[in-house]
């Protein structure tokens, strides 16, 4: 890649980052719930149960969802995060396992570097201090010091069930200190 192409890509990445960060500033989940009550009623907007801990430097984030279903194995997590994030949010259904971590500091740094807006883990993370230093939003059930297996098992881009809420690849996620919303479409207030 030439210097000009790298500079061009840098500015595209910077604009995407700025867009995702400043757009979220005006889209608080409480306001989104209030202004989209009819969508909540019909199920086009769903609220995830308040079971997640907040990690990462970015406390509020939003973006189109990429889904992943794994169990105690994070090979596919890395594989997805190695692709350009373009402001998307990786939603990992780890089966709620509390026996090992699916995301650590290296993967959070990778997510930041590749332009992911956030990661939601129905399971555990580790390297909390490293993750809290990354400019990416992370939600997980808890932290656990043990790393996951490396077998490469799981399913990408499939519907996942987190806390009784079905989440589809391509839907939108909005997260802040009040909670996490899932929407069939991009929302506005």
């Amino acid at each position: 890649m030439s210097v000009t192409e790298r500079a061009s890509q840098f500015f595209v990445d910077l604009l995407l980052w700025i867009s995702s960060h400043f757009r979220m500033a005006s889209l608080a989940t409480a306001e989104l719930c209030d202004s989209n009550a009819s969508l909540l009623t019909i199920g086009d907007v769903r609220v995830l149960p308040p079971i997640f801990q907040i990690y990462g430097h970015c406390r509020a984030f939003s973006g189109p969802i990429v889904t992943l279903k794994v169990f105690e194995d994070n090979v596919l997590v890395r594989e997805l995060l190695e692709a350009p994030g373009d402001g998307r949010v990786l939603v990992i259904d780890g089966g709620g396992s509390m026996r090992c971590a699916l995301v650590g500091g290296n993967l959070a740094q990778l997510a930041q570097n590749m332009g992911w807006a956030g990661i939601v883990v129905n399971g555990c993370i580790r390297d909390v201090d490293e993750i809290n230093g990354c400019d990416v939003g992370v939600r997980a059930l808890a932290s656990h010091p043990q790393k996951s297996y490396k077998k490469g098992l799981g399913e990408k881009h499939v519907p996942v069930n987190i806390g009784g809420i079905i989440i589809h690849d391509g839907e939108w996620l909005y997260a802040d200190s009040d909670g996490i919303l899932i929407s069939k479409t991009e929302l506005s207030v």
Side-chain angles (χ1 to χ4, degrees):
M1 185 182 289
S2 73
V3 172
T4 304
E5 290 171 323
R6 282 192 301 240
S8 177
Q9 184 60 50
F10 169 79
F11 284 110
V12 167
D13 292 342
L14 180 62
L15 288 173
L16 286 170
W17 181 87
I18 290 169
S19 167
S20 69
H21 282 72
F22 287 100
R23 177 179 32 153
M24 187 61 212
S26 63
L27 295 179
T29 57
E31 289 180 30
L32 287 171
C33 284
D34 293 349
S35 62
N36 292 281
S38 62
L39 296 176
L40 279 163
T41 302
I42 63 173
D44 284 356
V45 173
R46 288 100 60 215
V47 180
L48 288 186
I51 56 176
F52 294 95
Q53 304 296 313
I54 298 174
Y55 303 98
H57 184 71
C58 190
R59 303 307 237 185
F61 58 95
S62 66
I65 295 170
V66 174
T67 58
L68 177 63
K69 186 177 180 106
V70 296
F71 188 73
E72 298 179 356
D73 182 336
N74 76 347
V75 170
L76 297 180
V77 175
R78 174 174 289 281
E79 187 177 298
L80 283 172
L81 292 176
E82 286 175 339
D86 299 324
R88 295 177 295 168
V89 177
L90 180 58
V91 176
I92 305 165
D93 181 1
S97 173
M98 302 296 263
R99 299 188 308 194
C100 66
L102 293 174
V103 174
N106 290 337
L107 290 181
Q109 185 67 50
L110 178 63
Q112 173 187 304
N113 294 345
M114 296 305 292
W116 290 84
I119 305 168
V120 176
V121 184
N122 184 25
C124 295
I125 63 163
R126 69 183 203 162
D127 306 323
V128 171
D129 292 337
E130 290 177 43
I131 289 174
N132 286 341
C134 292
D135 192 23
V136 66
V138 178
R139 300 294 188 273
L141 300 179
S143 62
H144 195 292
Q146 185 176 335
K147 66 181 180 179
S148 72
Y149 298 109
K150 309 284 188 224
K151 296 178 182 175
L153 302 175
E155 299 175 275
K156 297 185 274 187
H157 310 292
V158 296
V160 296
N161 185 334
I162 297 180
I165 304 295
I166 304 297
I167 303 170
H168 298 273
D169 201 76
E171 292 188 305
W172 278 74
L173 183 142
Y174 300 86
D176 64 13
S177 297
D178 287 333
I180 302 173
L181 301 180
I182 305 297
S183 174
K184 289 188 177 186
T185 60
E186 187 174 6
L187 296 175
S188 60
V189 287

